[in-house]
Amino acid sequence: MPTAPRPFRQFVVKVHSRCDLACDHCYVYRHADQSWRSRPVTMSPRTFALAAARMAEHAAAHGLPRLHVVLHGGEPLLAGRERLRGFARELRSALDGVCDLDLRMQTNGLRLDDAFCAMLAEERIVTGVSLDGDRDANDRHRVRADGSGSHDQVVAAVRRLGAPAHRRAFGGLLCTVDVANDPVAVYRSLSGLDPPGIDFLLPHATWDRPPPRPHGPTDYADWLIAVHRRWTADGRPVRIRLFESITRLTHGGTSLTEALGLGSSDLLVVETDGAIEQADWLKTVAEGAPATGFHVARDSFDRAAGHPGILAQRQGLDGLSAQCRACPAVDVCGGGLYAHRFRTPAPGRPGGFDHPSVYCADLLKLIRHVERSDARTPVHGLSPAHFDSLAAGAGGADAVAALARAQHGVRRVLLAAAHRAAAPGTAGPETPTERTTEAEAEAAGWRAVLGLSPAALDIALTDPGVRPWALGVCESGAADPGRPAEIALSAAARTGAPLRLTVPLRGGSVHLPGLGRLVTGAAAGSLAIATEHGRITVDGTPLDALPAPFRWQPLRYLAAEGIRVALEDTAPYPVPVPRLTRARHRAWQSAFRAAWRVLRESHPRQAGELAAGLRCLVPLPGPPGPAAVRMSRHTFGAPALALPPTSEAFALLLIQQLQRMKLAALADLYDLLAPGAGRCRVAWRSRPQPLETVLEEAYVHLALAGAHRALARTGGARSGPAGFSGPAAARRAAYWHGAVLGALDTLDRSGAATAVGERLLRGMRRGVPAAGGAG
């Protein structure tokens, strides 16, 4: 049985075949293929409609959730504002009910006036602008036919596109590397325009026409390394696709660019006359190199998938030269861009693409530099790729696990700060007796904490209650004299280490984090507790043999397929709650299992994130008040919540709490808003709210909108409240998507976001159209 062709997910549509610049490095006009001369100047509406219909046909045949389409040229703006508007609407109409559309455009920006920018924002055409740096760098190549430079006009256009009214249509900047330019000056000029991202491209070259190398064999690596060093020193304030792709690939992820990685080509080009072609960088190789002979009027894209040129690009590792296959960096490099491997055959020398990239040495040196840099300078354990994924409202299990590791580090710092703030005395004996004062017991407890083995300390720091307790000590200096001893004893018990401490009672009980609570029946006093080989004794008596009125209340758990979390009703932190009855615990267990089934079936990504980050639930007897919500922001992995009435409501509440956890953890690592940022109004609040609250709630609603959208696509709940039905879920998703966009506009206008905060806002904006796309 024949194998179905692998689908294309990206399409470049050449809406105009001429340009109002005469760049000397352009692969369309200045390289081997000159087929533009015989093509129509502008794509006709009929040809575009045929292309759009073919895309819809292809997406439907392969069940694709989304297509990425780039309006290109030549210079696409020459097609005119209203024609481009018509193209965008034609494409959305064709794909309506079939799949989502990510519509983009690449332009030189010369014709981007306010009216054009407004149209792009209205039609959701995310636009990248080509700019090679400062005036000297840009005008070295990007000139008009009369030789005059384009820099000033393009910069004005970029600022216009990046203004708040249009910014949602700003996709970033594209820069072609020229080693004659100052790399740091180029980077600073581009990043100074505050783009959502920068894409540095190696100039197209082959072994027949190699790139200029005035200084040595790795000129391009050296240039990009200089940029990478400056970018890292600046805190990586803007996305740079090339660098982030190397980081992602190094950690087993996917590339953001076709110039790296072993992922196979999923891109096709439609020319102005409707011809279906391969990627247009093949124009650098030979006349007719991108051609397939297919046309949208008569051929499906599945037919194009069988073209020998397409098949050759989809061989992955098998399609690389022997030298590439033997290289240890091949998983990251992927052989470089396909066209850059080309060499014309000669006597005694094979031709074609069975060669390393003409940038082989540069790629290897750059990859090694980025790998070493990432290893030396982790950003709180969070890669730029993780940050951007989290910013879009998602993240994935790996990103949430990275946040959990970062929180571990935060707890370690706070524990040390609490020790300094408490400043316990050291006059007490090393082995306290029952007559030991609380101060001496606290000092002994701190000595035990500081003496824990690294493994035991790591276990102690997994307790989410460490943070709110340590924060309280740091902020007020108020001591909880028994807490250090409880932390030390719990860690010792879980590692089997021997330890004996006297623990002052708190309200007649002792809490051993991660184990449970011992209720004594006494209002005050202290207990001598010892651990050895994981066994805990009180004055020599095991916990399970203590007489009344002692009661040991072990920590209980909630379990479902693929997850097990504690139900924390024994701890004084993050909030003290009553001990659940056995019947109430069973009710939580049943509800959790049902909610987890909803998450796995309708919201699998969030289920994976929760499995990576959720450690326990704090069961509240009623709705959480402001204090409980505020405290929960400091307990990553341990939200406090009341039992919801339905499994769907429970699942959505867990998604909501997951978002609060993620944003609070990001706010720990980065300053997102300027201090004292003020207040503003949003659609879902009757009174102005602090900007920090608006950001948090917008981030939460971004995910909830996606969750409702997923319910709408699957018809909603099979049973339960009408609010979870397909139509109601769709209405909620639409409302919250619009409300979140409004909040982002307000936050943008406030000017309160830091550079990292602006990056977060841009990511959230990118996440709105795709919110919940995969549930």
Side-chain angles (χ1 to χ4, degrees), residues 387-400:
F387 180 93
D388 290 326
S389 179
L390 288 161
D398 289 346
V400 172

Side-chain angles (χ1 to χ4, degrees), residues 249-587:
L249 289 163
T250 299
H251 292 88
T254 57
S255 179
L256 301 171
T257 169
E258 59 193 341
L260 291 171
L262 289 169
S264 62
S265 173
D266 65 354
L267 179 147
L268 274 184
V269 175
V270 180
E271 288 284 357
T272 56
D273 59 356
I276 300 171
E277 296 206 336
Q278 303 171 66
D280 51 359
W281 32 252
L282 282 171
K283 294 179 183 293
T284 62
V285 169
E287 181 72 38
T292 65
F294 301 124
H295 192 280
V296 293
R298 61 177 181 270
D299 301 301
S300 70
F301 292 137
D302 274 3
R303 188 174 182 192
H307 185 273
I310 298 290
L311 295 174
Q313 294 180 57
R314 292 184 155 191
Q315 295 181 75
L317 186 64
D318 292 339
L320 300 182
S321 67
Q323 179 179 334
C324 289
R325 292 197 300 272
C327 178
V330 67
D331 289 344
V332 179
C333 170
L337 195 69
Y338 187 72
H340 295 173
R341 308 172 201 165
F342 182 78
R343 187 192 296 266
T344 300
R349 186 187 68 198
F353 299 92
D354 189 24
H355 303 279
S357 168
V358 72
Y359 292 105
C360 176
D362 298 287
L363 291 171
L364 182 60
K365 186 173 184 178
L366 177 63
I367 289 166
R368 291 297 181 239
H369 167 80
V370 173
E371 289 174 344
R372 288 192 300 269
S373 176
D374 287 347
R376 287 194 306 267
T377 56
V379 185
H380 308 293
L382 201 63
S383 71
H386 281 158
F387 180 93
D388 290 326
S389 179
L390 288 161
D398 289 346
V400 172
L403 283 178
R405 291 191 294 271
Q407 283 293 299
H408 195 80
V410 169
R411 291 181 193 134
R412 184 184 295 273
V413 171
L414 282 173
L415 187 65
H419 175 247
R420 291 192 299 271
T426 57
E430 291 295 321
T431 307
T433 66
E434 289 183 352
R435 293 190 178 90
T436 301
T437 66
E438 283 191 350
E440 291 171 333
E442 185 180 14
W446 274 113
R447 285 195 295 271
V449 168
L450 299 176
L452 289 173
S453 68
L457 183 60
D458 281 342
I459 287 175
L461 291 172
T462 61
D463 175 33
V466 167
R467 175 176 173 145
W469 162 71
L471 275 174
V473 175
C474 293
E475 291 173 355
S476 66
D480 183 351
R483 192 60 174 168
E486 291 173 337
I487 291 172
L489 285 164
S490 173
R494 286 186 279 177
T495 57
L499 182 64
R500 178 182 171 84
L501 290 170
T502 295
V503 185
L505 298 179
R506 179 197 298 103
S509 66
V510 171
H511 172 245
L512 299 178
L515 297 175
R517 176 172 61 193
L518 179 63
V519 180
T520 68
S526 60
L527 292 177
I529 300 180
T531 70
E532 190 168 13
H533 304 302
R535 184 169 176 262
I536 304 172
T537 59
V538 178
D539 291 329
T541 304
L543 287 178
D544 56 4
L546 287 170
F550 286 102
R551 284 178 294 130
W552 172 243
Q553 297 175 337
L555 187 64
R556 294 175 293 189
Y557 290 84
L558 303 175
E561 184 181 354
I563 190 170
R564 182 174 182 263
V565 299
L567 189 65
E568 181 55 274
D569 59 354
T570 67
Y573 302 100
V575 287
V577 296
R579 177 73 168 179
L580 295 179
T581 64
R582 290 182 180 177
R584 196 65 179 156
H585 174 248
R586 287 195 296 270

Side-chain angles (χ1 to χ4, degrees), residues 182-185 187-188 191 200 218-238 240 242-244 246 365-374 376-377 379:
D182 181 329
V184 175
Y187 161 72
R188 283 179 168 159
S191 60
F200 286 107
T218 58
D219 276 357
Y220 293 87
D222 297 338
W223 197 96
L224 288 163
I225 286 169
V227 174
H228 186 274
R229 285 176 174 148
R230 182 69 263 163
W231 177 64
T232 299
D234 289 348
R236 303 182 176 186
V238 60
I240 296 183
L242 179 64
F243 300 155
E244 293 186 8
I246 293 173
K365 186 173 184 178
L366 177 63
I367 289 166
R368 291 297 181 239
H369 167 80
V370 173
E371 289 174 344
R372 288 192 300 269
S373 176
D374 287 347
R376 287 194 306 267
T377 56
V379 185

